[in-house]
Amino acid sequence: MATESHQAAACPGFRWGPFTLRIPFYHTRVEWPELLQGVFVAGATGLALVPVLTGEHYGFMLTFEEAVACVFLISFLIGIAPILFGDPYAPGWVTPALPLVLAFILQAPGGQPLFPTPGAKFQIMAAMSIDFAVILLVLGVTGLGAKFVQWLPDAIKAGIILGAAIAALKRVFLDDAQRFLMVQPVSTIVAISVCLILTFSAPIQHYKLRYRWLAKLAGLGLLPGFLLAAIVGPLVGEFQYNVRPPLQIPPFADTLVIPGFSEFFLVPPFVDFFQKASPLFVGWPSLAMLWQAFPLALMGYVILFGDLITGNEVLAAGMRARPDEKIDININRSHLSLAIRNAFGALFAPFFPTQGCLWTGVQVIIVQRWTEGRHSMRSLYGGISSYYVFGIPILYTCVPLLTGLQPLLGVALSLTLVLTGFACAYVAMGIPKTQIERGVVVLMAVALAIFPNPWVGMTVGIVATLTLVGFKRHGNEEPILDHTVEEELASEQS
């Protein structure tokens, strides 16, 4: 194996500092299966943020078009990770942190919202992204990231992850039930059920190894449940697809010499969005905001480091079948690229925690096809960059698709949160080793989910761990891994 690794060739690219730029069509070719999946799967998943950005309850108060502009920029920053920086991961959100963030921005101590205006909400989002970028930069440059996560007691790690699970499920079934679940109950339950079965069902996991079509279907992530909800919803009368007027576009688009341009293509109103959201227009977050946001950024880092380890485990399993391509894994480089993406996100698309390192399901499905050999996928980097449509989320410029998906966006948000809650719950419950640790985990998780101020939940977890468990460890020095993914890949290799 050592000889094969030595003879392996790396995908060509232009080195700049610790990073490698791989230009699409020049250094990497188009992988059509990944490209076609990515246009719809990655695009539809990103649109789950639109109900949050446009809904009065959340208070961001963007128009639909401005929300699409925000999601476009978020998806662009995610999609350039393998192209501009050379990371060998299929990037995604730090999704488990999302429900904790939503609870935090909606807190209203004494009946008064802590962040009452849309500008204040975007400022606190920018503060979280800035804090996250600083944490990534410091821990990445110093190499202390692994030591920090290893030092952190298991009870606190599990409490953070279980807190995210409780907050996610609480958001869907209690806090926002009247806005989404009760409006489209059949469609939402159908979508959730299908995705839970395809993603987590033990019998399905077994059959995925036997039937290739089932593995590919499950690898589409949210799309199967999403499409089934799109069929069921009109049949039960929960929504219908109405032809709506063309989306509003910037005035200069009228001068384009494309007949019917506004009926088929959307030019996202980036300037209008910047004026409502960017700290360059609404003002920089205060030091108090940076302090308030710090615990959430720190919790996000704990989750993110587990994603990095999971991504490396998936790559390690695949590299055994593809010794012909050298995959450059460098956690410090990944820290730096993530810091840069989050810093730009804070400036131009402030919505934490959308700039993470790994979308596990997509990583697995791309690596699986890569392991079949060069005839199936010439380079892993080509497969990943194709899935993210080479950084250009073209779905968000197509008016017919956007208007068609609009009735389903509440389903997409509920689906994202429920899958996040379920995944976080089963990972968190596998971490504690003793009955006392399990009690501390539940106590901290409930505090994080019930008290919107993240400092309260962190304080409860730290004090409970110190007084009831102590900082004694159980000899497990590795961060949290997705054992389901590991076992599946190990089974495939055997």
Side-chain angles (χ1 to χ4, degrees), residues 177-312:
Q178 296 300 322
R179 298 179 185 87
F180 301 116
L181 180 61
M182 301 309 296
V183 174
Q184 300 171 326
V186 177
S187 306
T188 304
I189 290 172
V190 165
I192 290 172
S193 300
V194 169
C195 289
L196 282 176
I197 291 170
L198 287 177
T199 307
F200 299 109
S201 168
I204 293 297
Q205 297 296 325
H206 172 72
Y207 287 119
K208 279 165 60 177
L209 302 177
R210 183 179 301 177
Y211 301 108
R212 188 175 184 81
W213 65 268
L214 185 59
K216 290 187 175 182
L217 181 66
L220 294 176
L222 306 184
L223 192 60
F226 198 61
L227 292 178
L228 192 57
I231 297 171
V232 171
L235 295 178
V236 299
E238 290 183 346
F239 58 84
Q240 56 183 343
Y241 301 108
N242 295 321
V243 178
R244 66 191 297 269
L247 300 178
Q248 295 190 14
I249 59 174
F252 71 83
D254 292 334
T255 64
L256 296 175
V257 291
I258 302 177
F261 182 86
S262 62
E263 296 180 7
F264 296 100
F265 298 100
L266 170 69
V267 179
F270 296 117
V271 174
D272 293 341
F273 168 67
F274 291 151
Q275 290 175 344
K276 291 185 178 180
S278 171
L280 299 173
F281 290 91
V282 302
W284 293 94
S286 64
L287 290 176
M289 283 185 169
L290 292 170
W291 174 249
Q292 288 173 309
F294 185 77
L296 282 168
L298 194 61
M299 287 187 275
Y301 179 78
V302 174
I303 298 167
L304 175 107
F305 199 91
D307 284 345
L308 279 169
I309 300 301
T310 301
N312 290 344

Side-chain angles (χ1 to χ4, degrees), residues 3 19 21 53 93 153-154 158 263 306 320 327 332 335 346 367 380 417 448 481:
T3 304
F19 309 116
L21 168 66
L53 293 166
W93 302 350
D154 290 342
E263 296 180 7
R320 290 194 287 270
I327 302 300
N332 288 341
H335 275 69
V367 169
L380 176 68
L417 290 174
L448 285 171
L481 302 182

Side-chain angles (χ1 to χ4, degrees), residues 117-436:
T117 65
K121 285 181 167 59
F122 280 113
Q123 282 181 320
I124 195 64
M125 283 292 187
M128 293 180 209
S129 297
I130 292 170
D131 284 344
F132 197 49
V134 170
I135 291 171
L136 286 162
L137 183 64
V138 172
L139 296 183
V141 169
T142 61
L144 294 176
K147 293 182 180 179
F148 168 73
V149 176
Q150 290 170 2
W151 167 82
L152 199 66
D154 290 342
I156 293 179
K157 284 192 286 190
I160 291 171
I161 298 172
L162 186 61
I166 295 174
L169 299 176
K170 178 173 175 284
R171 176 66 47 197
V172 173
F173 295 109
L174 291 176
D175 299 338
D176 292 340
Q178 296 300 322
R179 298 179 185 87
F180 301 116
L181 180 61
M182 301 309 296
V183 174
Q184 300 171 326
V186 177
S187 306
T188 304
I189 290 172
V190 165
I192 290 172
S193 300
V194 169
C195 289
L196 282 176
I197 291 170
L198 287 177
T199 307
F200 299 109
S201 168
I204 293 297
Q205 297 296 325
H206 172 72
Y207 287 119
K208 279 165 60 177
L209 302 177
R210 183 179 301 177
Y211 301 108
R212 188 175 184 81
W213 65 268
L214 185 59
K216 290 187 175 182
L217 181 66
L220 294 176
L222 306 184
L223 192 60
F226 198 61
L227 292 178
L228 192 57
I231 297 171
V232 171
L235 295 178
V236 299
E238 290 183 346
F239 58 84
Q240 56 183 343
Y241 301 108
N242 295 321
V243 178
R244 66 191 297 269
L247 300 178
Q248 295 190 14
I249 59 174
F252 71 83
D254 292 334
T255 64
L256 296 175
V257 291
I258 302 177
F261 182 86
S262 62
E263 296 180 7
F264 296 100
F265 298 100
L266 170 69
V267 179
F270 296 117
V271 174
D272 293 341
F273 168 67
F274 291 151
Q275 290 175 344
K276 291 185 178 180
S278 171
L280 299 173
F281 290 91
V282 302
W284 293 94
S286 64
L287 290 176
M289 283 185 169
L290 292 170
W291 174 249
Q292 288 173 309
F294 185 77
L296 282 168
L298 194 61
M299 287 187 275
Y301 179 78
V302 174
I303 298 167
L304 175 107
F305 199 91
D307 284 345
L308 279 169
I309 300 301
T310 301
N312 290 344
E313 291 292 321
V314 174
L315 286 173
M319 288 163 63
R320 290 194 287 270
R322 283 295 301 268
D324 59 295
E325 181 175 15
K326 180 181 178 181
I327 302 300
D328 183 17
I329 299 174
N330 186 323
I331 287 186
N332 288 341
R333 180 198 62 213
S334 297
H335 275 69
L336 295 177
S337 66
L338 284 161
I340 294 171
R341 282 166 48 207
N342 277 275
F344 276 97
L347 282 176
F348 301 110
F351 200 100
F352 181 80
T354 55
Q355 295 303 319
C357 74
L358 186 71
W359 188 348
T360 305
V362 173
Q363 181 81 0
V364 169
I365 200 68
I366 292 175
V367 169
Q368 282 177 339
R369 206 169 78 85
W370 176 64
T371 59
E372 295 173 5
R374 289 177 63 86
H375 64 281
S376 291
M377 184 183 295
R378 183 176 180 180
S379 169
L380 176 68
Y381 297 98
I384 295 174
S385 58
S386 294
Y387 197 96
Y388 291 87
V389 201
F390 306 110
I392 307 299
I394 58 175
L395 177 69
Y396 305 143
T397 65
C398 183
V399 170
L401 285 175
L402 286 174
T403 55
L405 289 171
Q406 209 169 359
L408 290 163
L409 298 185
V411 174
L413 178 60
S414 299
L415 182 58
T416 300
L417 290 174
V418 170
L419 289 182
T420 297
F422 190 92
C424 288
Y426 85 73
V427 170
M429 297 309 293
I431 298 171
K433 306 299 189 302
T434 67
Q435 301 283 19
I436 296 175

